[in-house]
Amino acid sequence: MGSGEDRTIAGWTLPETRTDATAQFDQFVTENRFTIAVVFPLVGAVTLLASAEGLLPDPLAFNPYFVLFGTFVMRLPLVAGVFPLVDRRAGLALVALTLYSYGIELVGVRTGWPYGEFTYGVDLGPMLLGEVPFGLPVFFFPLVLNAYLLVLLLLGNRAASTAVRLLATLATVMLVDLVLDPGAVAIGFWTYEMPQFYGVPWQNYTGWLLSGSVAVLLFDLGFDRAGLRQRLRDCPFMLDDLVSFVLLWGGINLFYANWVPVGLAALLGAGLLWTDRFDFDLSETRLGRAVWR
């Protein structure tokens, strides 16, 4: 490669190796940790609620590109955490899961199986075949992977048992969806023809058992578990995306008095506190340095 100047763009030095890229990615997330994990979900909750309540004009209300951008930013800690672990096997697992998620969602939209009859209520960005959000993997994958990582931390050595690990992860995935779907229905992301649990049919959760089982199994087969454990030790921010989830969807459910989902979001938050994953010095972040300098 050329000189140092040739590798610098807008003040950023382009990494020469994957190790360099990992270090730069980790540093960026660490320096912006509070903004990513707390500010973005709180702003997201306010803007989504304002959109749902008719307080934001077009094109700001439910702007799909704002939604995708905010979601992508909140995913950065998880992406940074798994980035150095994505080898050929993990890549194949992600490709397989991408194809599966698009396929099962397309079947669901067209037939009502396995999630129940539903329709999208807002524009979630570009649509694959005009029917399935192209950004679906960005929405779906982290929900499962966050659950998997949380289980690894909470169970410790007990997670060495495949049956215990997979069943506990699937249970956590279901817990996540019991928070997500009622909140999404409340703000109008999608609607079901047979509302039962806070607007969500029970059939939806049997569908999540299927999709969640496939996703959990593919993540378990695709990623090196020892490598994930090591990255969890090295990256205190790796579960910050789950922090964002609790703040965003817990806050939305709280606004609409969806008390059971609120309690379940609090349970996820308690799990995060138990793992001691979000106790950090604000002065390490750019926001902290700006306030206390």
Side-chain angles (χ1 to χ4, degrees), residues 87-172:
D87 54 14
R88 179 176 297 181
R89 186 177 68 176
L92 288 174
L94 291 172
V95 169
L97 185 52
T98 299
L99 295 175
Y100 171 79
S101 61
Y102 283 139
I104 197 68
E105 189 77 3
L106 186 62
V107 170
V109 169
R110 291 181 175 180
T111 70
W113 181 89
Y115 305 111
E117 298 283 349
F118 75 97
T119 55
Y120 290 108
V122 301
D123 184 1
L124 293 178
M127 303 291 279
L128 185 66
L129 301 178
E131 297 176 272
V132 176
F134 190 75
L136 182 64
V138 177
F139 297 125
F140 176 58
F141 288 9
L143 302 179
V144 179
L145 191 50
N146 280 326
Y148 188 85
L149 296 175
L150 182 62
V151 165
L152 290 183
L153 283 172
L154 290 176
L155 294 186
N157 292 333
R158 288 170 292 179
S161 167
T162 300
V164 170
R165 181 175 67 253
L166 297 186
L167 288 174
T169 301
L170 184 57
T172 307

Side-chain angles (χ1 to χ4, degrees), residues 164-184:
V164 170
R165 181 175 67 253
L166 297 186
L167 288 174
T169 301
L170 184 57
T172 307
V173 170
M174 297 304 299
L175 181 63
V176 165
D177 190 51
L178 284 163
V179 175
L180 169 65
D181 254 302

